[in-house]
Amino acid sequence: MPTYTAPVKDLQFVLHDVLNVSTLDIPGYDEMEADFTNAVLEEAGKLTGDVLAPLNAVGDQEGCRLENGLVYTPTGFKEAFEQVKEGGWTGLDMPEQYGGQNMPYVLGTAVGEMFSASNQAFTMYQGLTHGAAAAILAHGTDAQKDKWLPNMVSCEWTGTMNLTEPHCGTDLGLMRTKAEPQDNGTYKISGQKIFISAGDHDLADNIVHLVLAKVPGGPEGIKGVSLFIVPKFLVDDEGNIGARNGVSVGNIEKKMGIHGNATCVLNYDEAEGYLLGELNKGMRAMFTMMNEARLGVGMQGLSAAEVAYQNAVDYAKDRLQGRAVTGAENPDGPADPLIVHPDIRRSLMDQKSFVEGARAFILWGAKMIDEAHRNSDKDADGLVSLLTPVIKGFLTDEGYDMTVKAQQIYGGHGYIEEHGMSQFTRDARIAMIYEGANGVQALDLVGRKLAQDGGKHVMAFFELVKTFCKDNGDDEALKDFIEPLKAASKDLQAAGMYFMQNGMKNPNHALSGSNDFMHLFGHVCLGLMWAQMAKAATSQLAAGAADAAFYETKLATGRYYMARRLPATSMHLARIQSGADTVMALDAEAF
Amino acid sequence: MPTYTAPVKDLQFVLHDVLNVSTLDIPGYDEMEADFTNAVLEEAGKLTGDVLAPLNAVGDQEGCRLENGLVYTPTGFKEAFEQVKEGGWTGLDMPEQYGGQNMPYVLGTAVGEMFSASNQAFTMYQGLTHGAAAAILAHGTDAQKDKWLPNMVSCEWTGTMNLTEPHCGTDLGLMRTKAEPQDNGTYKISGQKIFISAGDHDLADNIVHLVLAKVPGGPEGIKGVSLFIVPKFLVDDEGNIGARNGVSVGNIEKKMGIHGNATCVLNYDEAEGYLLGELNKGMRAMFTMMNEARLGVGMQGLSAAEVAYQNAVDYAKDRLQGRAVTGAENPDGPADPLIVHPDIRRSLMDQKSFVEGARAFILWGAKMIDEAHRNSDKDADGLVSLLTPVIKGFLTDEGYDMTVKAQQIYGGHGYIEEHGMSQFTRDARIAMIYEGANGVQALDLVGRKLAQDGGKHVMAFFELVKTFCKDNGDDEALKDFIEPLKAASKDLQAAGMYFMQNGMKNPNHALSGSNDFMHLFGHVCLGLMWAQMAKAATSQLAAGAADAAFYETKLATGRYYMARRLPATSMHLARIQSGADTVMALDAEAF
C-alpha cells in the first residue's frame, strides 16, 4: 500500500525562501510568517497522510455505486469528509463572512497539493464545491450568496459544474439543455449533462449544481448560454431543505481511474433553477474562475507525480536487485538496492526535478492570482492568464509521464494493482483531459493568450527572464543555471517569432506547433523556477543556513533539470519551425 | 466498441516493395509471392477483425477467475481459441515435422501483429506457447520434442515461461526454486513463481511450464540455474494425460490491463520436472529465443498503437466539434469533424508515422532472424541482436505513448471504459515491463550489445545508413529524407563516441545515457525505415503503380516523421553528453 508524506519543508522553501511571501505587499500576506504557514502545512500534512492517503486505494478498489438513484461513496469517505469539514479545510481561502478563513490563495494552493496528492478522487468533492462557490461568490446576488455560500464553504452542501453534453464537450455552442423562464423569475431546466464529477454522493445533505443551459429564443451558439443554480433539493427562504428537485442520476461512468469520485450522467427534467449572473453571459460566469480552476488541475499533475515519486523512491531504496556497475554498495546483502543503478537514478531525477520545479511554478501562479484579486494587479492577472494553459497543459502532461516513470521503477510489481502505482497513473490521466483538454490549452495559449493585450504579457515574461539572467549572470554559483535558461528562452522567443511571421499567412503554421509551444514554454518556466530556486539556495548557503544538505540537494536537483530536461526546448523549436506543411498534408481520407 | 481492420496493404508494401521478400535468397522465401502472402494476411485479417477484436473488451471487463484452483477465461475465449487452432495459425512458422507450416518467421510476424492488435491478452496464450515450444525445439532431446511439440504446435497444450520469483525479477541469480534430482533422472521442483502469464486457464488439456530452478549444490547465482519442463498433468510414454503434477495456482493477479490473460502465482511442490538442455545452462536455454521473444513484445507496442490509432481516426472523422480555423469544412453541419484541427492532425500524424515506421522496423528485424536461422548468417544475427533492445524498448515506450495520444483524441470519452481507448493504454503498458523492463533493454544495448564482437554490428549499422544516403543522395525525390537521416545518424555516432571516450573512465557516464541512447537509436532506425519506404514509394510511383494515392500518402507520412519526430535525436544527444554528474550527484538519502 503506497504512503504519502506531505513535503512541508519544500513548500516552506518555495513560500519563504523563493517567493518571500511574508514580505509581499498583498493583503493577508503579512500573516504568512514561516511559523504560521508551517503550522498550517503540518496540520494538513497529518490529515492527508494519516486519513486521506489510506483511503486512496479503497476508493479505487470499491469505486462508487448507484443504488435506487442515489450514489454511495467508498467505505470511509463519509467519515473522512467529516474530519476535513471539522478542521475547517474546505473554506481556507473563502471570505470570513461566509464561514471561511480568508487565507491567501497561495496557502490554499500549498494545502491543496497535499489533498490532491493523498487522494485525488476524494479531494474532488470539495474541489468542485470550491469552484462552484467561487462562481456564486463572483456572480451571485447578495441573496444568492447568503442562501448558498455558508453551507458550501463548510461543505455541508457540495457543488458541481455542468458543462458537457453527450454531443459537445469543447464546443459548448452546440449545447441543447434548455432553461424555460417561469413567471416567478425561476427557470425550468431540462436536458442531459454528462461527465459530472461529484454529481451525486452521500457526503452532503444537498448538492448545488451549476448548470449551463440555453433560454429558448436567445442568441445562437455560445452567446445564448446562461448559468443556473440548480440544487438537488430545493431550499426555502429560511435555508431549510425541502423537496427533491427535478434532477436525477442517469448513470455513473466506469472510468480508467478516480473511481472514488462519482462521474455522473445527470438528467434534468424541469428542474427548478435560478439564473446566476447575467442572461446569456453563462460562459463568462463559468470561466471567471478559469485561471484558478485550471491551476488547480495543473496542480493535480504535480500532486500525482509527487506521491508516485515518493513511493518509487521507497521501492528503489528497498528492492535489492543487481549490483552497482562501479562495485557492490551493499556487499553484505544478496544484491544492491535499485537506486544504485544509473538508469533508475535518471528516472528518479526526472521525477524529483519536475516535482520541485512544478511546485514553484504552481505557487508562483497562485501568488499572481492573489495579486490580481487582492491588489487588482492587472499585470499579474495578464501574466497568470498567459501562463494558465502552460500550468494546466504542461504540468498534467508531464505529471502523467512522471507517474508512468514511477510505476516503471516497480517493474512487474508496478503493473499489478497491489502496490498502488497503477492507480497513480490511471488517476493522473484525467487531468490531461478535464477542465479543457490539453490540446485546447495549447490552442488557448497560441491562438489567444500570446497576442492578448498586444502581446504585452509574453513580453513581460521574457523581460522577467532577461532581467533575472542579467542580474545574476556574474554569479559563479549560478553559472549552471543562467546559460541554459538563456538558451531555452531564446528557443521560446524564436518559436514566438516563427508564429508571428507565419501565422498571419496561414494560422495552421501556428496551430500545428501549439502543443510543442506549450511544452517549450513549460520547460522555460521550470528552468526559470530552478534558476530562482538555485539563487535562493545559494543565498541560504552563503548565510550559513542550518540545513545545508537541503540546499545542496536543491542545487544538485536543479542542475539536473538544466542539463537533462531543458535541452527539450530545441527539439520543440525544430518541430514548430517545420510548420504546418507536413502536419496538414494529407486529406482526411488518407488517414 | 472499438474495431480493428488488419492493415494488409501496408504489410504487403513492407514485405514486397520494401523488403522484396520473394526475391531474397533465404530458404522458404521463394514461396513468399505477393499473392500467397496476401491470401494468408487476408485470412488472418478476417479472423482477427471478426473474431478476436470483439472479444477484446469482453476479456477486459470480465477478466479471468480462479475457482477451486482452476482458472477460467472470459466468455468466448475458448470458442475463439478453437477457431485459431483449426485455422492452423498456432504453428505457422513451426516445423512441419511437428505439425507446423514451416513458413518464414517474417510472415509469422506480420500475422502476429494482427493477432496482438486485435486482442493482446488472448494472443498471449498462443504466444507463450510458441516461445516455450521454440525453447524445446532448440534444446530438447528428440524424445522430448516428440513428446511435447506436436501438442504445443497445435495448441492442444499450451506453454508458459517461469522466471520471476517474489524477490527477484531482473536479478535471477537470487532465485530460490529448487530442483532435486531423482534416481529415475527426473527432478522434484519446489518453489514459488510469480507473474506467470497464461499460467493456468481452461483453453487447453495440458500446460507445459518451462521453469528455471537451481539444483542444490550447484554453482552460486545465475550460473547454477537450469531449465525444466514441468507439465500441469503428467504425460505417459504414449502421450496420454495422467495425474495432476505438483503445481498449483496460488492466486491470479489484479492488474492494470491484459485482464483476459491470467497472470498466476504458481506454487511448485515437488512437481515432477525434466531437465531441458544442459544442467546449469538454464539461462542460456531460456534466452536462446530472446531475440524473437523481445521482437514479439516490441511488436505489441506497434500493435497497440495501430489499433488505438485506427479508432482515434474514426472518432476524429466522426465527432463534430468546433470549426477549422481556416474556414468551415462541414458548413452544412453543426460543426466540423475533429480531424480538421491542426493539433488533432499533429497527434494522428505522430501515431501514423510511428506505426508505419515501426512495422517496417519489426519486419526488417524478423527478416534478419530468418537470415540468422535459415542461412546461419552471422552478420544478420549480430545486427538483429544489437537492434533487439531497441525494437523492444523503443517500440514499447513509443507504442504506449501513441495509445495515450489516441485516447486523448476522445477527450472525456477516452477516459471512460465504454469506448475501449483506456484498455489500449492499460494493455500496452505491460509491454514496457515484461520480457526485460525497458531500463534493462537500454542497459543491454549500451552495456553489452554496442561493444559486442568489437563493435562490429553497430559499425555495420552505420555503414548501412551511410551507404543508403550515398546511393540516394542525388535523388531529388528523397531530399526530405536523406539529410535528416544523415543528421540523426551523426547524433547517434556522436553519442556512441561519447560513451567510448567517457565510459571507460566511469561506466556511469555511459549507463546514465542508456535510456536516451535507446531512444536516439530507435529514431534513427525509424528514420532509416522511412527513407527506405520513401525510396520504395517513389520507385512505385515512377513505375506508374496503380494505387498512386497510397504511395503519395506514404511519402507525406514519411516527411512528417523526418521533420517532426527525428529532431528528438539532438535532445537525446545533449542529455547523453551531459554525462553522469548530475544523474549521480545525490546520495540515496537525499531522494
Side-chain angles (χ1 to χ4, degrees):
Chain A
M1 173 111 93
T3 59
Y4 173 67
T5 306
V8 173
K9 191 176 178 68
D10 205 52
L11 285 161
Q12 285 282 89
F13 167 72
V14 176
L15 289 175
H16 299 289
D17 296 347
V18 182
L19 295 175
N20 297 300
V21 285
S22 69
T23 69
L24 298 178
D25 187 21
I26 305 172
Y29 272 50
D30 52 342
E31 291 175 27
M32 298 264 284
E33 294 294 343
D35 283 353
F36 172 70
T37 59
N38 192 62
V40 172
L41 297 176
E42 286 285 356
E43 274 310 303
K46 275 182 215 157
L47 178 67
T48 53
D50 297 346
V51 179
L52 303 192
L55 289 176
N56 195 44
V58 176
D60 187 58
Q61 285 154 20
E62 284 189 21
C64 296
R65 62 181 210 282
L66 176 64
E67 270 179 31
N68 302 320
L70 295 173
V71 173
Y72 297 87
T73 54
T75 306
F77 271 41
K78 212 170 159 65
E79 294 75 13
F81 203 66
E82 289 304 314
Q83 275 189 264
V84 171
K85 282 156 61 181
E86 279 163 24
W89 296 105
T90 62
L92 212 62
D93 61 345
M94 282 288 171
E96 287 178 9
Q97 182 182 359
Y98 302 111
Q101 304 194 40
N102 203 32
M103 289 185 198
Y105 181 68
V106 74
L107 188 57
T109 301
V111 169
E113 181 196 317
M114 298 179 188
F115 272 80
S116 274
S118 62
N119 198 325
Q120 181 179 341
F122 176 91
T123 299
M124 288 169 66
Y125 291 102
Q126 68 203 75
L128 269 300
T129 308
H130 189 281
I136 294 175
L137 190 63
H139 301 285
T141 62
D142 286 344
Q144 286 176 328
K145 291 185 208 175
D146 290 342
K147 182 167 185 174
W148 303 108
L149 285 182
N151 279 316
M152 292 178 77
V153 167
S154 67
C155 273
E156 289 303 312
W157 302 347
T158 64
T160 71
M161 300 289 204
N162 291 235
L163 289 80
T164 306
E165 299 183 6
H167 62 291
C168 66
T170 298
D171 190 354
L172 291 169
L174 303 173
M175 188 173 294
R176 289 176 193 152
T177 299
K178 279 188 196 137
E180 296 274 2
Q182 306 298 303
D183 292 342
N184 64 358
T186 66
Y187 292 78
K188 291 276 183 224
I189 314 290
S190 298
Q192 188 177 65
K193 294 288 181 178
I194 65 168
F195 299 161
I196 310 307
S197 297
D200 196 56
H201 55 80
D202 55 356
L203 302 179
D205 296 334
N206 203 359
I207 301 177
V208 182
H209 302 294
L210 296 195
V211 183
L212 287 177
K214 285 183 173 181
V215 175
E220 286 288 301
I222 203 76
K223 290 176 182 165
V225 168
S226 305
L227 185 60
F228 298 89
I229 297 172
V230 188
K232 176 176 173 182
F233 291 98
L234 297 174
V235 176
D236 70 17
D237 291 340
E238 283 75 46
N240 300 309
I241 289 178
R244 186 74 195 255
N245 202 357
V247 48
S248 60
V249 183
N251 201 1
I252 54 177
E253 305 286 357
K254 291 181 80 173
K255 309 184 299 291
M256 185 177 186
I258 52 166
H259 297 161
N261 198 282
T263 304
C264 297
V265 175
L266 290 185
N267 294 318
Y268 291 88
D269 184 13
E270 301 203 335
E272 185 168 308
Y274 320 105
L275 181 67
L276 178 62
E278 290 178 58
L279 192 70
N280 299 330
K281 306 283 187 199
M283 291 304 290
R284 197 191 290 176
M286 187 61 109
F287 283 138
T288 308
M289 315 311 295
M290 190 171 67
N291 289 343
E292 290 88 320
R294 292 185 169 178
L295 186 137
V297 176
M299 188 181 68
Q300 292 178 345
L302 154 65
S303 297
E306 163 74 26
V307 67
Y309 164 73
Q310 287 187 11
N311 287 280
V313 168
D314 288 348
Y315 194 77
K317 287 180 180 174
D318 195 51
R319 174 86 170 172
L320 304 180
Q321 208 80 175
R323 289 290 183 192
V325 68
T326 46
E329 297 199 9
N330 176 34
D332 298 335
D336 289 341
L338 285 180
I339 202 166
V340 305
H341 301 300
D343 191 57
I344 296 288
R345 288 284 179 132
R346 187 262 322 155
S347 171
L348 291 177
M349 290 300 290
D350 279 353
Q351 296 168 56
K352 182 173 171 62
S353 65
F354 166 76
V355 162
E356 295 177 16
R359 179 171 293 132
F361 190 20
I362 289 274
L363 291 178
W364 177 41
K367 187 211 74 169
M368 287 191 279
I369 286 176
D370 278 329
E371 286 172 320
H373 290 176
R374 296 179 172 227
N375 276 347
S376 302
D377 182 334
K378 291 247 180 291
D379 291 337
D381 190 50
L383 185 52
V384 79
S385 293
L386 169 72
L387 296 178
T388 291
V390 182
I391 291 173
K392 198 280 182 181
F394 177 70
L395 296 188
T396 60
D397 277 356
E398 286 274 308
Y400 175 71
D401 282 352
M402 296 302 153
T403 63
V404 174
K405 286 178 200 230
Q407 181 190 26
Q408 186 73 14
I409 287 183
Y410 278 67
H413 296 274
Y415 195 67
I416 60 174
E417 296 292 352
E418 187 181 332
H419 295 276
M421 301 306 287
S422 159
Q423 186 190 353
F424 294 136
T425 75
R426 290 184 291 97
D427 286 0
R429 183 68 184 85
I430 189 58
M432 296 158 70
I433 297 171
Y434 62 18
E435 198 56 41
N438 286 356
V440 175
Q441 302 298 327
L443 179 64
D444 178 46
L445 175 64
V446 171
R448 217 172 126 249
K449 298 290 178 64
L450 264 190
Q452 212 163 41
D453 299 326
K456 181 178 158 188
H457 307 300
V458 73
M459 295 312 295
F461 178 82
F462 285 128
E463 194 57 36
L464 201 68
V465 175
K466 195 174 144 193
T467 304
F468 184 89
C469 291
K470 203 171 143 195
D471 291 351
N472 298 284
D474 297 334
D475 189 341
E476 185 63 18
L478 296 179
K479 76 174 167 42
D480 294 339
F481 295 86
I482 302 298
E483 287 310 315
L485 176 58
K486 273 189 194 168
S489 177
K490 204 174 142 198
D491 285 343
L492 184 63
Q493 286 180 282
M497 191 63 73
Y498 176 86
F499 290 157
M500 292 227 295
Q501 290 170 344
N502 298 279
M504 292 294 192
K505 282 179 290 191
N506 178 358
N508 286 341
H509 282 308
L511 299 185
S512 294
S514 59
N515 180 275
D516 282 292
F517 189 80
M518 183 172 78
H519 281 260
L520 203 177
F521 209 153
H523 278 297
V524 175
C525 288
L526 258 56
L528 175 63
M529 293 301 103
W530 272 115
Q532 291 179 347
M533 288 194 283
K535 185 180 160 72
T538 51
S539 300
Q540 290 294 330
L541 285 169
D547 194 356
F550 175 84
Y551 296 107
E552 294 288 5
T553 296
K554 189 61 72 178
L555 286 167
T557 308
R559 282 192 200 100
Y560 181 90
Y561 197 90
M562 304 315 272
R564 285 258 166 181
R565 304 300 319 283
L566 262 195
T569 61
S570 60
M571 174 187 72
H572 291 301
L573 177 61
R575 289 181 185 166
I576 289 165
Q577 290 179 332
S578 76
D581 295 346
T582 63
V583 178
M584 305 301 288
L586 296 182
D587 291 336
E589 301 74 50
F591 284 89
Chain B
M1 174 109 92
T3 58
Y4 173 67
T5 307
V8 173
K9 191 176 177 66
D10 206 52
L11 284 161
Q12 286 282 88
F13 166 73
V14 176
L15 289 175
H16 298 288
D17 295 348
V18 182
L19 295 176
N20 298 300
V21 286
S22 68
T23 69
L24 297 178
D25 186 22
I26 305 172
Y29 272 49
D30 52 342
E31 291 175 27
M32 298 264 284
E33 294 292 343
D35 284 352
F36 172 70
T37 60
N38 192 60
V40 172
L41 296 176
E42 286 285 355
E43 274 309 303
K46 275 184 216 157
L47 178 67
T48 53
D50 297 347
V51 179
L52 302 192
L55 289 177
N56 195 42
V58 175
D60 187 57
Q61 285 154 21
E62 284 189 21
C64 295
R65 62 181 208 282
L66 176 65
E67 271 178 30
N68 301 323
L70 294 173
V71 174
Y72 297 88
T73 54
T75 306
F77 271 41
K78 212 171 159 66
E79 294 75 12
F81 203 67
E82 289 304 314
Q83 275 190 264
V84 171
K85 282 157 60 181
E86 279 163 24
W89 296 105
T90 61
L92 211 61
D93 60 348
M94 282 288 171
E96 289 178 8
Q97 181 182 359
Y98 301 111
Q101 304 194 41
N102 203 31
M103 288 186 199
Y105 181 68
V106 74
L107 188 57
T109 301
V111 168
E113 182 198 316
M114 300 180 186
F115 273 79
S116 273
S118 62
N119 198 326
Q120 180 179 340
F122 176 92
T123 299
M124 287 170 65
Y125 292 102
Q126 69 204 75
L128 269 299
T129 308
H130 188 281
I136 293 174
L137 190 62
H139 300 286
T141 61
D142 285 344
Q144 285 176 330
K145 292 186 208 176
D146 290 342
K147 181 166 186 174
W148 303 107
L149 286 182
N151 279 317
M152 292 177 77
V153 167
S154 67
C155 272
E156 290 302 314
W157 302 347
T158 63
T160 72
M161 299 290 202
N162 291 235
L163 290 81
T164 306
E165 300 184 5
H167 62 289
C168 67
T170 298
D171 189 353
L172 291 170
L174 303 173
M175 186 174 294
R176 290 178 193 150
T177 299
K178 278 187 196 139
E180 297 274 1
Q182 305 298 303
D183 291 343
N184 65 356
T186 67
Y187 292 78
K188 291 277 181 223
I189 314 290
S190 296
Q192 187 178 64
K193 293 288 181 177
I194 65 169
F195 300 161
I196 309 307
S197 297
D200 196 57
H201 55 80
D202 56 354
L203 302 178
D205 296 335
N206 203 358
I207 302 178
V208 182
H209 303 293
L210 296 195
V211 184
L212 286 178
K214 283 184 173 179
V215 175
E220 285 290 300
I222 204 75
K223 291 179 181 162
V225 168
S226 304
L227 185 58
F228 298 88
I229 297 171
V230 188
K232 178 177 173 182
F233 292 97
L234 297 174
V235 176
D236 70 17
D237 291 340
E238 282 75 47
N240 300 309
I241 288 179
R244 186 74 195 257
N245 202 356
V247 48
S248 60
V249 183
N251 201 2
I252 54 176
E253 305 286 357
K254 292 182 76 172
K255 309 185 299 288
M256 186 177 184
I258 52 168
H259 296 162
N261 197 282
T263 304
C264 298
V265 174
L266 290 184
N267 294 318
Y268 291 88
D269 184 14
E270 299 203 336
E272 186 167 309
Y274 320 105
L275 182 68
L276 179 61
E278 288 179 60
L279 190 69
N280 298 330
K281 305 282 185 198
M283 290 305 289
R284 196 192 290 176
M286 186 62 107
F287 283 138
T288 309
M289 315 312 293
M290 189 170 67
N291 289 341
E292 289 88 319
R294 293 186 168 177
L295 186 137
V297 175
M299 188 181 68
Q300 293 178 344
L302 153 66
S303 296
E306 163 74 26
V307 67
Y309 164 73
Q310 287 187 10
N311 286 280
V313 167
D314 288 348
Y315 194 77
K317 288 180 181 174
D318 194 52
R319 174 87 171 171
L320 304 179
Q321 209 78 177
R323 289 290 184 194
V325 68
T326 46
E329 298 199 7
N330 176 33
D332 299 334
D336 289 342
L338 285 179
I339 202 166
V340 304
H341 302 299
D343 190 57
I344 297 288
R345 288 284 180 133
R346 187 260 323 155
S347 171
L348 291 177
M349 290 300 290
D350 279 353
Q351 295 168 56
K352 183 173 169 64
S353 65
F354 166 76
V355 162
E356 294 177 17
R359 179 171 293 131
F361 190 19
I362 289 275
L363 292 177
W364 177 41
K367 187 210 77 170
M368 286 191 279
I369 286 177
D370 278 329
E371 285 173 320
H373 290 176
R374 294 177 174 228
N375 276 348
S376 302
D377 182 334
K378 291 245 181 291
D379 291 337
D381 189 50
L383 185 52
V384 79
S385 294
L386 169 73
L387 295 178
T388 292
V390 182
I391 290 173
K392 197 280 181 181
F394 176 70
L395 296 188
T396 60
D397 277 356
E398 287 275 308
Y400 175 72
D401 283 352
M402 296 303 155
T403 64
V404 173
K405 286 179 200 229
Q407 179 190 27
Q408 186 73 13
I409 287 184
Y410 278 68
H413 296 274
Y415 195 67
I416 61 175
E417 296 293 351
E418 187 181 332
H419 296 275
M421 301 306 285
S422 158
Q423 186 190 352
F424 294 137
T425 75
R426 292 185 289 99
D427 286 0
R429 183 67 184 87
I430 189 58
M432 296 158 71
I433 297 172
Y434 61 19
E435 197 57 40
N438 286 357
V440 174
Q441 302 299 327
L443 179 65
D444 179 46
L445 175 65
V446 171
R448 219 171 125 250
K449 296 292 177 62
L450 264 190
Q452 211 162 42
D453 298 327
K456 180 178 161 189
H457 308 299
V458 73
M459 295 312 296
F461 178 82
F462 286 126
E463 193 58 35
L464 201 68
V465 175
K466 195 174 145 192
T467 304
F468 184 89
C469 291
K470 204 172 146 194
D471 291 351
N472 298 285
D474 296 334
D475 190 341
E476 185 64 17
L478 295 179
K479 76 174 167 44
D480 294 339
F481 294 85
I482 301 298
E483 288 310 316
L485 176 59
K486 272 188 194 167
S489 176
K490 206 174 139 196
D491 286 343
L492 185 63
Q493 286 180 283
M497 191 62 72
Y498 176 84
F499 290 157
M500 291 227 296
Q501 290 169 343
N502 298 278
M504 291 294 192
K505 281 179 291 189
N506 178 357
N508 286 340
H509 282 309
L511 299 185
S512 294
S514 59
N515 180 275
D516 282 291
F517 189 80
M518 183 172 77
H519 282 259
L520 203 176
F521 209 153
H523 279 296
V524 175
C525 288
L526 259 57
L528 175 63
M529 293 302 103
W530 272 115
Q532 291 179 348
M533 289 194 283
K535 185 180 161 72
T538 52
S539 300
Q540 290 294 329
L541 286 169
D547 193 356
F550 175 84
Y551 296 108
E552 295 288 2
T553 297
K554 189 60 73 180
L555 286 167
T557 308
R559 283 192 199 101
Y560 180 90
Y561 197 90
M562 305 315 271
R564 285 257 167 182
R565 303 300 319 283
L566 262 196
T569 60
S570 61
M571 175 187 72
H572 291 301
L573 177 60
R575 288 182 185 165
I576 289 165
Q577 289 179 332
S578 75
D581 296 347
T582 63
V583 177
M584 305 301 286
L586 296 182
D587 291 336
E589 301 73 49
F591 283 89

